[in-house]
Each structure stands twice: as C-alpha cells, then as structure tokens.
Amino acid sequence: MGAIAMEHQFGFILAGVMSISSMGSLAIAPVASANETHQESQDDFSVVYPPNGHETTAQQIFLIGTAPPDGEVRVNGVVIERSPAGHFAPSFPLERGNNSFMLEFQDQRIELTVTRSGGTSPVPDGSMFVSESLYPTVNIARLPGESICFEAIAPPNAEVSVRLSDQVIPLRSSGTGVALPPNSAVLTQQNSPTDITSSQAATYQGCHSFLAPGNLGNPSYQLFHNGQEQIQPAAGTIDILDPSTPDIAEVIGRSGAARTGPSTDYSRLTPLPPGTQSAITGRESNWYRLDYGVWIRDTDVTVKPGAAPLRSLIRSIRSRQTDGWTEVLFPLQAPVPISVEQGDDTFTLILHNTTAQTDTIFVDNDPIIRRLDWTQPSPDNVRYTFRLHSEQQWGYTLRYEDTTLILALRHPPTISPVRNDLEGIRIVIDPGHGGEELGARGPTGFPEKDVNLIVSSLLRDELVQRGATVFMTREEDVTLSLGDRIDQINQLEPTLALSIHYNALPDNGDAINTAGIGMFWYNPQAHDLSVFLHDYLTITLDRPSYGVFWNNLALTRPTTAPSVLLELGFMINPTEFEWIVDSQEQQRLAGAIADGIAEWLQQP
C-alpha cells in the first residue's frame, strides 16, 4: 500500500542541499511534473488493479482504472461512477472461488478474474486431525517446569490426547473460537474480531510441564471418533533446556530486533545494541527467547555455548557533553539487555539482569537533563528515569563500548526567533520507493515513486529558501534498501526526518470514499510533529483527514531524530488522484509542509 508497504532513501550540496550519494555533483536533474508524465496514458481504457488472476482473502475488491471522460464504463453491464477526468475505482463483493468481471467502454472490453480464497478455519477430513494444527509444528525448546500447551484441530465430540515422554495429556475442546483481524484492518476501520466456531471442527487443548532436561522427541497425538482411531506425530520436537548452563546470545549487526513472540507477526520492542548478551531460555524454529522475556531471530545473534547466567552490578554513573549531545555512561560488568520508555518529559532506561549499588551519580548542569532518578523495582532490573527540561525530545542513541553502555540524548536545536527562518535546521527528506519499487499506482498507472520524488524536490527547494540544510535520500529513480535509508538518517543526525509517500488500501478498502492526509509515527518524540503537520496541512490546504497513526514502519523507527512518514493522499482515489498530479497543487503542498515545519519549530 504505497507508503506503508515499503519505504526508501538517498542524498545532495547546493544552496544548502546536501547529497551523500554524489558529494561532488552540483547539478540537479530536472523533474517532470506528474501532469506531463501521465497525460499519455490518460486517453486509454485500462485497469491497473487488480491484475487478472488476482487472489485475495478479502470480501470485496476495487477495480482501479481510467477511460476517456466522454462515454460510459460498464462493469458486468452496470454503469459505474467516474471522476470528471474519467477515472474509476468501484468496489464489488467477492464470492468464494472465482469472480468474473467484464469491463466495457464503447467497443473495448477488459475481462478479469479475481479469486477469493481462505478466510475459514481448516476442516478435518472425516475422523482425522488437521495435520498442520498439531503443536508444535516446528522444533521448540523450553525450561524445566514451564507449561507447554498442546493443540489440535479435529472433529467435534472426539476423544483427543497427546503422548510425550511417557506422559499422556488429555486434550479438551475449547468450544468456541475467535479470529483477530490483521493489523492492516485498522486502515479500513474493519478490525472487529470474528467468530470462527464451526460445526465441522473443534480445537482441542491441554497443558503439561516437564522437569528433566533433554530431548523429548515429537508429541504423538491420538484421536478416537465414530469408532475410528488415528495416531499422528506433530512435526516439531520438544527440548527441555538445562538452566544451569544456558547458551548465551550476543547481538551482532546493526541491532537486534527484540519482539514479543517468535515471528515477525509479533510486536517490536526496544532494539538491542550490538554486543548485548543474554541467556537463551527458549527456542522456536529460528527464534531464541532471551532471559528477560523477548524473542530474537537467530540471524541477529551469535550463540556462545553454555555458561553461567549473565548478571551485572552497576555503581557510579557520569555524564559528559559532546557536540549537540549529552552522553551518560553506565559502567557494567556485562553488556546486559535494555529497554526504553519515553514520556512527555521523561526518558526511562531499564537495565535488565542488573543490580544497583549506585551511590554516586554525576549529571552536571545540562541543556536537556533536569534530574536523574533511579529505582530497583525487582531484583532483575534497574530503572533510570531522566527528568527533562522540555516535553519535546529530539533523539537518542544507545551503544556499547566494551561493557560500558552509553546513552546519548540529543540537545534541542537552536531555533531562530524570526518566523520561517530555518537557519541551522537540518532535515532529511526521503522520497519513498524508487527504481523497481513503484509503490501505489493511480488510475492511469502513474506510479507513486514518481510523485514522491516530485513533491520531495519541491519541498527541498522550499526548505532551502527558508535557510534549512536539506539532505535528499534519492534524487533519481533508483532502488534503495530500507537499511540504507535508515543508515543515512543515523549518520546525518538531522533535526527532523520526513518520508514522503502517497497511499493505497488493502483489498477490503473503499477506494472511492477514502481520501485525505495521514501521518505515521513510532517513537514518542515524533508524535507532536505528526499531529501538528496533519492538522496544519488539512486546515491550510482544505484537504480531508485520513488520520494520525502509530505504526511500526522502517522509516518511522530511527531514534536519532523525530521521524515521520507522511501519506499525502490516496493514489487510488479517482478524484484525489487529480489533486495529487496537479503541478500547482504540488507546489502549494510543498510550501504548506515547509510552513508547517517552521510553525512547529516556533512553538514554545
């Protein structure tokens, strides 16, 4: 979906505009307006989405396309609504299986087939298990005494049990079931749970714990139903770990993505800086559970063989000021895991597996820190809470130097008292997508990546006119990885980072009736800027509101600066698309964003 599906970045040195991709170049390649580049296809009759043969689990689908404005477009014989320019995006319900659509304009025809699949719970075949439901489906490891819950889907009113390590565990039917919608459902306001209770299938569950370390093998499931018996092993094995000599995971690479569970479907937590070490207390496929409860992918760590569990004392703490930052040094015996919590005027650092012997702390008169307090709420973690001078935070970083943890807190920028003067302000602009990644497409097929670059270039010029130093993540139609974009923000340490995008919707959405400007933030330091820009643009430009969202997106995650992803309109909305590609409106939009940034920076 345009911006939310993926993000990208790149760079520029001219009149305050810097480029890290071409430091020696002073030339700016001209950028054609969207009006110029999409006129050629506007006279065609075409459908740009969905492609023929598209498969979806959604209950409806929108057909996005265009035809010359004179005449009628019919879908399965019914005339559809179109914008004044001839664009369309009607939605139609989908039956399970194949759905055929015939689109007609004058003597032209376009045939599409869309297949609706999935969406229902698996159903047993007669008196049989649903094989993929037998837990565990992958190899797992747990601690002695930890409850392991077994699960299987089978016919209702069956007798189900599981045998493992000479233990027979009876499983009982849960009776009812509820399915949660995907996270994307909130984007279409359709995120209510659904009842998946079935008269053809039941979910059977039961839990047990095992005390002795060792490999227990594959659980064997047994089913009795209508006089028939089935015995089937689960695909995964179960190991019970030895807690006295746990393996140690050490974070490698840029950082370790800690999560609430063993897959990317689970929520992100505070990332772990390279060098962080933690005992492994569980395993599920290629994920490790660390001793403070989070999960991390095996590619983010290197594993050291069994050793004593890692613990550390902490005593003295001191701060020092560098250029634009205050660094706080926490000397530790081992590089322990950390968590961060940001409040309105507080920054809390939690050290796990740590015991305080803190009697002396040195934090001198500081431009950002008003006071540092600490508590030990449990034997396993220490909380250090920084009371800040301002509610607005400007960024932070965390790194290990040997076993010393260094927290760097960004100083506030120096703001000119003159309205619209951005002298000294450094801004990264990220034109989303690029190269092979088109992003969303409008009814004519015009790609989001192009309009992102057009508006980003206009915004760059507006900000430079106001005195800002601007870094572009890309100035050409090139493909950039998310990691490269994030690296640029972290290396440049700008005052603000803005990722420019235009939007689309999941298949269940309503493309005709969804429009407007949206903002996406992740770290609390970016929230106020997100709300302010959203309100400023919708009011100043008289545009509809899509809303302000907290969202775990790659380009909202950098912590070195307030980082916001802007969704400036819906490419798939037939009417809003015309506003998006209007060169005069693009210029107004760029000026309004620049004015909004200046106004926000002037706030007390």
Side-chain angles (χ1 to χ4, degrees):
M1 68 167 61
I4 297 177
M6 224 173 271
E7 310 114 49
H8 285 357
Q9 308 189 320
F10 169 105
F12 192 89
I13 201 178
L14 182 69
V17 183
M18 304 265 180
S19 168
I20 40 186
S21 62
S22 54
M23 279 292 188
S25 173
L26 298 181
I28 306 178
V31 179
S33 75
N35 275 346
E36 297 169 6
T37 54
H38 91 290
Q39 285 296 335
E40 182 177 341
S41 61
Q42 190 167 343
D43 294 333
D44 297 333
F45 174 42
S46 62
V47 175
V48 300
Y49 188 86
N52 189 29
H54 178 63
E55 292 190 18
T56 181
T57 60
Q59 298 177 355
Q60 65 179 31
I61 193 74
F62 39 67
L63 309 181
I64 301 172
T66 192
D70 296 332
E72 296 179 336
V73 173
R74 297 175 181 269
V75 177
N76 293 344
V78 178
V79 176
I80 60 171
E81 176 186 349
R82 296 200 287 154
S83 72
H87 310 320
F88 55 82
S91 290
F92 294 93
L94 294 175
E95 302 292 337
R96 297 197 186 279
N98 292 335
N99 296 259
S100 298
F101 297 96
M102 172 69 75
L103 291 86
E104 299 173 283
F105 176 74
Q106 296 177 353
D107 59 349
Q108 301 178 63
R109 292 185 174 185
I110 298 174
E111 296 184 29
L112 295 175
T113 298
V114 176
T115 302
R116 179 185 169 192
S117 59
T120 60
S121 300
V123 176
D125 181 11
S127 297
M128 307 287 282
F129 287 117
V130 174
S131 297
E132 61 271 22
S133 72
L134 304 183
Y135 182 85
T137 58
V138 296
N139 296 341
I140 70 169
R142 296 292 188 265
L143 291 174
E146 184 176 349
S147 183
I148 299 174
C149 293
F150 301 92
E151 183 174 298
I153 296 177
N157 304 315
E159 182 181 336
V160 179
S161 62
V162 62
R163 178 183 293 274
L164 183 65
S165 184
D166 296 327
Q167 297 288 327
V168 177
I169 302 109
L171 305 186
R172 292 178 174 81
S173 172
S174 59
T176 60
V178 171
L180 293 178
N183 280 310
S184 60
V186 73
L187 301 172
T188 57
Q189 301 181 12
Q190 298 171 339
N191 64 328
S192 298
T194 56
D195 184 359
I196 57 171
T197 303
S198 170
S199 61
Q200 299 173 284
T203 300
Y204 295 82
Q205 297 171 320
C207 301
H208 193 76
S209 60
F210 302 87
L211 299 179
N215 188 296
L216 305 183
N218 303 76
S220 178
Y221 283 79
Q222 186 173 32
L223 178 151
F224 292 98
H225 183 251
N226 290 340
Q228 298 185 49
E229 178 184 13
Q230 182 192 9
I231 298 176
Q232 183 172 337
T237 62
I238 296 177
D239 268 308
I240 303 300
L241 301 174
D242 184 349
S244 64
T245 57
D247 288 345
I248 302 299
E250 179 177 340
V251 175
I252 57 176
R254 291 186 177 103
S255 66
R259 292 184 180 271
T260 57
S263 83
T264 55
D265 291 335
Y266 287 91
S267 299
R268 283 179 178 260
L269 299 169
T270 302
L272 300 176
T276 301
Q277 297 182 19
S278 182
I280 294 172
T281 63
R283 187 177 66 248
E284 192 151 330
S285 186
N286 59 336
W287 291 79
Y288 294 114
R289 186 179 63 189
L290 304 184
D291 58 12
Y292 73 110
V294 309
W295 292 80
I296 193 166
R297 200 198 302 260
D298 61 0
T299 52
D300 284 346
V301 297
T302 184
V303 177
K304 301 178 179 181
L310 283 174
R311 293 290 183 271
S312 179
L313 298 175
I314 184 165
R315 293 172 182 164
S316 63
I317 297 168
R318 68 183 176 94
S319 68
R320 65 190 181 195
Q321 291 187 27
T322 63
D323 184 20
W325 297 79
T326 292
E327 293 188 340
V328 185
L329 285 70
F330 299 83
L332 297 159
Q333 295 171 306
V336 299
I338 54 94
S339 298
V340 166
E341 297 175 359
Q342 288 177 277
D344 286 341
D345 57 357
T346 61
F347 183 101
T348 299
L349 175 67
I350 303 167
L351 304 182
H352 301 280
N353 304 333
T354 304
T355 300
Q357 292 182 347
T358 306
D359 285 334
T360 305
I361 296 175
F362 175 75
V363 177
D364 207 352
N365 185 29
D366 190 84
I368 188 169
I369 302 171
R370 181 165 53 87
R371 191 177 76 243
L372 171 58
D373 301 326
W374 72 270
T375 61
Q376 177 111 33
S378 76
D380 290 330
N381 64 70
V382 187
R383 296 175 63 93
Y384 291 95
T385 299
F386 295 85
R387 312 290 176 179
L388 307 178
H389 289 298
S390 170
E391 290 188 2
Q392 178 58 49
Q393 299 179 41
W394 294 94
Y396 72 91
T397 64
L398 284 156
R399 70 183 188 275
Y400 271 108
E401 292 185 358
D402 296 323
T403 61
T404 295
L405 179 66
I406 300 177
L407 165 66
L409 296 172
R410 185 80 172 270
H411 293 173
T414 300
I415 308 297
S416 169
V418 179
R419 185 179 180 276
N420 255 356
D421 181 1
L422 299 179
E423 188 70 32
I425 302 301
R426 294 157 53 89
I427 298 175
V428 165
I429 301 175
D430 166 43
H433 306 288
E436 296 178 357
E437 297 178 5
L438 302 180
R441 289 191 296 164
T444 65
F446 186 73
E448 178 200 348
K449 65 172 183 172
D450 290 350
V451 72
N452 289 342
L453 183 56
I454 293 166
V455 171
S456 295
S457 301
L458 294 172
L459 175 58
R460 171 199 63 200
D461 296 343
E462 292 283 346
L463 291 169
V464 168
Q465 289 177 16
R466 291 160 175 78
T469 299
V470 179
F471 304 85
M472 292 276 284
T473 61
R474 69 177 178 97
E475 299 167 276
E476 300 172 349
D477 186 19
V478 295
T479 302
L480 293 172
S481 72
L482 297 177
D484 288 342
R485 297 166 185 266
I486 294 170
D487 284 348
Q488 290 186 42
I489 294 174
N490 291 335
Q491 292 164 9
L492 290 167
E493 297 179 356
T495 312
L496 305 172
L498 307 175
S499 190
I500 304 300
H501 286 264
Y502 287 83
N503 220 338
L505 288 170
D507 286 343
N508 261 337
D510 183 346
I512 290 178
N513 294 309
T514 305
I517 291 171
M519 297 287 159
F520 293 79
W521 63 278
Y522 181 73
N523 294 302
Q525 61 206 29
H527 175 256
D528 191 72
L529 175 60
S530 297
V531 173
F532 187 93
L533 282 180
H534 169 270
D535 293 350
Y536 189 89
L537 295 180
T538 54
I539 294 171
T540 302
L541 301 174
D542 192 25
R543 298 303 302 169
S545 163
Y546 183 55
V548 178
F549 297 80
W550 180 91
N551 206 328
N552 173 20
L553 300 170
L555 269 299
T556 62
R557 287 198 297 265
T559 65
T560 51
S563 301
V564 177
L565 190 144
L566 294 76
E567 293 280 8
L568 296 171
F570 278 81
M571 296 288 289
I572 62 176
N573 180 290
T575 303
E576 188 159 60
F577 175 71
E578 287 305 304
W579 175 80
I580 290 171
V581 298
D582 186 302
S583 58
Q584 292 183 335
E585 293 298 332
Q586 291 168 355
Q587 187 68 62
R588 283 186 65 220
L589 173 61
I593 297 172
D595 286 343
I597 291 169
E599 291 280 351
W600 181 75
L601 288 168
Q602 289 289 337
Q603 292 185 117

